[in-house]
Amino acid sequence: MVRNYVRKSTIGSGYSQETLTIAVDLIKSGSLSTYRASKIYKIPKNTLADHVKGRRVTSLADCICCLEKWGFGLTRKEIIKIVADYVRVNNIKTQFKNGIPGEDWFLNFKRRHNLSLTTPQSVEFARKKNVDPFLIYDYFDLLEKTVKELGLDDKPSQIWNLKESSFCCDPSKTKIVGQKGYPSTRTTSGPGKQNTTVLMCCSAIGDKAPPLIIFKGKNVWDQWVAPPDTEFPNTTYAATSNGWMESAVFKNYFQKSFIKHLSDDRPVLVIYNGHATHLSVDVFKTAIENQITILKLPPHTSHLLQPLDLSVFKSLKTRWDAKLVEWQRKNVGVKIPKCIFSKLIGEIWTDTKPEIIINGFVKAGISPINRNVVPVELFDPTAIQRWKSRQAQKIADVSLPSTSSVSDIDH
């Protein structure tokens, strides 16, 4: 239905921004009283008073945008209910039917304030909470300090990132062509979705370390390993009771696979999240002995600061899905063997272009260092204001003369 709403009310349309500015200037200079200016320029006295005294009137649109930014966006029905309640409580006369705004009002409200109806992305509360300027910028301070102390400003080959991810054995991303108006299906090996954990590691210059594939089980069997000359060179395998990462498995990979892959150039910086399985005395001891510095990302910020999450895994998962579809067409109804899983993982990791990996480090603000990769709009407005105040205070403290210098001047 096409809506051509014509506004009938004249409230707020009797003056322009230019007229408002002139009236406010005349009141401030003492040439006119608020009452006289209101009569002459046909501007509500309250509006003039707010602008003269510098009071910022928070509009409904401002509130809606703030709530959306904080992760609590309002629906169309909620906004209409808020307006209806405000009209009722304040006994305001409107042309709303039964005091409730209609669809025409909402559409024009959206247009006037440049708003839109969108499907929100789900973000864990912990992630939303940790998008904090104090956490993010303090991390970049530490990153910059560490890179300078290690002398790695121009040595991206010695800066590494590692992260594990889950690879599903049932494709879900690859689209197919079918008849319009009819459902499409894909034949799989079974109703369940089996996932396998794979740890990837790469450098800011695009180098790739051997992956670690973790299967569910008590032991790693020979038939789980990819056929000879088909796996990524020196791929490491492990088995755990639930198929997830464990401290002993990570320690073994770090000591016997990752370090062996590194060149003789030292020092090395390794950046990863602070999952409990990545943190152990043995890992730290090994790192120190091999001139490796470990820098932990702030908690729940992988979606903003982890190179592998920002660029690499998306490309990997897309190509992984396509590989699965191709294999299932040739092996209808057959569950993918672990050795084939290992083979396909090796293929997509081998085919991953260095440019994709390098782009991940750029997006994460690691190489080159760029603390502005996280948009200011993602921060809580109150928190970013407090952070700016802290920075201003730091600058003021640095600029103050020391006690000894003041004493010298007096003498």
Side-chain angles (χ1 to χ4, degrees):
M1 177 181 177
V2 178
R3 296 181 180 272
N4 297 302
Y5 174 75
V6 178
R7 180 174 178 165
K8 300 179 179 64
S9 172
T10 58
I11 297 174
S13 60
Y15 62 90
S16 64
Q17 183 63 42
E18 217 175 322
T19 305
L20 176 62
T21 303
I22 294 171
V24 170
D25 289 342
L26 289 172
I27 295 171
K28 286 182 176 180
S29 66
S31 302
L32 282 178
S33 66
T34 303
Y35 177 79
R36 288 291 298 160
S38 175
K39 289 292 184 182
I40 295 171
Y41 294 102
K42 296 182 174 26
I43 302 174
K45 287 187 292 183
N46 288 341
T47 302
L48 290 171
D50 286 335
H51 283 81
V52 169
K53 293 180 180 179
R55 291 196 293 255
R56 185 182 183 277
V57 181
T58 302
S59 68
L60 174 61
D62 291 334
C63 294
I64 290 171
C65 291
C66 281
L67 286 170
E68 187 276 328
K69 188 176 293 183
W70 296 340
F72 300 97
L74 299 176
T75 65
R76 180 183 66 85
K77 288 184 178 180
E78 287 173 327
I79 293 172
I80 288 176
K81 184 178 184 302
I82 288 171
V83 174
D85 289 344
Y86 183 83
V87 168
R88 177 178 52 79
V89 170
N90 292 277
N91 198 27
I92 299 173
K93 293 183 179 180
T94 68
Q95 296 185 4
F96 300 153
K97 185 177 180 180
N98 298 322
I100 302 174
E103 189 66 20
D104 287 320
W105 175 87
F106 181 74
L107 293 173
N108 281 280
F109 175 77
K110 279 199 310 172
R111 187 183 66 252
R112 288 196 305 273
H113 297 284
N114 195 30
L115 302 174
S116 65
L117 278 172
T118 58
T119 302
Q121 294 181 332
S122 298
V123 179
E124 295 175 39
F125 173 73
R127 286 193 173 191
K128 193 75 177 178
K129 181 181 176 182
N130 283 282
V131 182
D132 184 290
F134 291 91
L135 282 174
I136 301 296
Y137 293 135
D138 284 353
Y139 156 75
F140 276 108
D141 288 341
L142 180 59
L143 173 64
E144 188 171 11
K145 178 184 176 183
T146 303
V147 168
K148 285 184 178 179
E149 287 179 349
L150 297 177
L152 300 180
D153 298 83
D154 57 348
K155 298 177 181 178
S157 61
Q158 291 166 241
I159 301 176
W160 290 77
N161 175 230
L162 60 85
K163 175 87 176 355
E164 65 254 32
S165 186
S166 179
F167 285 78
C168 182
C169 291
D170 284 323
S172 59
K173 293 178 180 292
T174 305
K175 295 182 179 181
I176 61 172
V177 178
Q179 188 175 356
K180 189 175 181 179
Y182 289 87
S184 298
T185 61
R186 176 182 286 121
T187 302
T188 60
S189 59
K193 289 190 175 183
Q194 179 186 351
N195 291 277
T196 302
T197 302
V198 181
L199 176 70
M200 305 290 196
C201 192
C202 52
S203 75
I205 205 172
D207 188 16
K208 293 167 287 192
L212 164 63
I213 301 175
I214 306 173
F215 292 118
K216 183 178 180 180
K218 291 184 178 180
N219 301 290
V220 176
W221 298 87
D222 290 342
Q223 56 265 38
W224 294 0
V225 177
D229 301 324
T230 64
E231 66 178 5
F232 190 91
N234 301 315
T235 296
T236 303
Y237 300 89
T240 62
S241 58
N242 53 17
W244 300 345
M245 178 66 75
E246 292 181 356
S247 297
V249 172
F250 181 78
K251 181 190 74 172
N252 187 63
Y253 171 80
F254 192 82
Q255 293 175 338
K256 299 180 180 180
S257 180
F258 173 67
I259 290 178
K260 285 184 178 181
H261 178 79
L262 297 177
S263 68
D264 294 332
D265 296 328
R266 293 292 190 277
V268 167
L269 175 63
V270 181
I271 302 171
Y272 56 71
N273 58 32
H275 194 276
T277 56
H278 298 163
L279 309 174
S280 70
V281 174
D282 289 335
V283 169
F284 295 150
K285 183 180 178 182
T286 301
I288 293 170
E289 292 171 350
N290 288 272
Q291 299 181 57
I292 297 173
T293 298
I294 295 173
L295 183 61
K296 187 170 75 71
L297 290 168
H300 306 291
T301 58
S302 290
H303 61 302
L304 298 172
L305 304 174
Q306 181 96 257
L308 279 159
D309 277 343
L310 289 172
S311 177
V312 183
F313 281 144
K314 182 179 179 180
S315 171
L316 272 174
K317 296 292 179 72
T318 300
R319 285 182 286 116
W320 168 253
D321 205 82
K323 289 276 187 184
L324 281 181
V325 171
E326 182 182 351
W327 188 88
Q328 286 185 348
R329 286 203 189 105
K330 299 175 182 177
N331 302 271
V332 178
V334 179
K335 185 177 179 180
I336 185 170
K338 289 182 172 63
C339 62
I340 300 301
F341 177 96
S342 304
K343 174 179 177 293
L344 298 182
I345 286 291
E347 288 178 0
I348 63 170
W349 192 223
T350 299
D351 294 341
T352 300
K353 297 179 180 179
E355 296 80 26
I356 294 174
I357 297 173
I358 293 170
N359 187 46
F361 282 85
V362 173
K363 284 185 174 181
I366 294 175
S367 181
I369 293 177
N370 178 12
R371 63 181 59 242
N372 297 317
V373 290
V374 179
V376 176
E377 293 76 21
L378 292 182
F379 297 126
D380 176 358
T382 306
I384 192 66
Q385 190 58 48
R386 284 191 287 110
W387 182 83
K388 288 180 179 178
S389 297
R390 186 187 75 168
Q391 295 304 105
Q393 185 60 50
K394 282 184 177 180
I395 295 172
D397 291 342
V398 171
S399 62
L400 287 174
S402 64
T403 306
S404 58
S405 63
V406 171
S407 178
D408 293 339
I409 292 172
D410 290 341
H411 286 83

